[in-house]
Amino acid sequence: MSIANNTATKIYFPHLNLFRFVAAIMIVVVHGYEGWVGWMGNIGSLSNGTFKELSSWGVYVDRFIRNLGIGVDIFFLLSGFLITYLLLAEKKDMEKSISRIFI
C-alpha cells in the first residue's frame, strides 16, 4: 500500500534532547570510571592514595557513579515513549484517511 500524497508533518520533541544528553553523559561517566578502575585500580582521591580500598566517603562516591548506569534505562524509556507516540499518531492519521475514503 503506497500513499501518494504524503503531507504528514514531522513529529519532534526538542525538550527531550536534554534528557538524551544527560543520559549519554551518565553512560560515558560510568563506562569511563569502570574502565579506569578495571585497569588502574581505585581512584587515588577515593581511596586515600592506596588505590586498593575505598575510603569511607569514597564508597558512597563509587556507589553513586556505578548507579549512573540508569542512563541506559532513560534511553529505553525515551525510545518506548517516542515509538508509542509515533505509532498512535500514525494510527490516527490512517483512521482519518480511511474515514475520508468511505464517507
Side-chain angles (χ1 to χ4, degrees):
M1 174 187 232
S2 75
I3 298 174
N5 189 6
N6 188 5
T7 59
T9 59
K10 184 177 179 181
I11 298 173
Y12 179 66
F13 296 97
H15 300 297
L16 292 182
N17 286 341
L18 176 65
F19 291 109
R20 290 175 49 213
F21 174 75
V22 170
I25 291 298
M26 290 167 64
I27 293 167
V28 167
V29 168
V30 75
H31 282 295
Y33 178 75
E34 288 177 351
W36 179 276
V37 170
W39 282 93
M40 305 290 188
N42 290 319
I43 296 175
S45 59
L46 298 180
S47 62
N48 291 332
T50 63
F51 301 101
K52 294 183 180 180
E53 292 185 18
L54 294 170
S55 65
S56 59
W57 66 275
V59 173
Y60 297 111
V61 174
D62 177 72
R63 187 177 302 153
F64 174 77
I65 293 173
R66 290 183 187 272
N67 283 329
L68 291 179
I70 198 168
V72 174
D73 296 332
I74 294 171
F75 269 110
F76 283 132
L77 179 73
L78 288 174
S79 296
F81 166 73
L82 292 172
I83 290 170
T84 303
Y85 188 89
L86 290 174
L87 286 172
L88 291 174
E90 186 175 335
K91 179 184 176 193
K92 188 182 205 181
D93 289 342
M94 288 296 277
E95 288 173 351
K96 284 181 185 178
S97 64
I98 289 174
S99 66
R100 275 188 252 140
I101 292 172
F102 291 112
I103 293 179

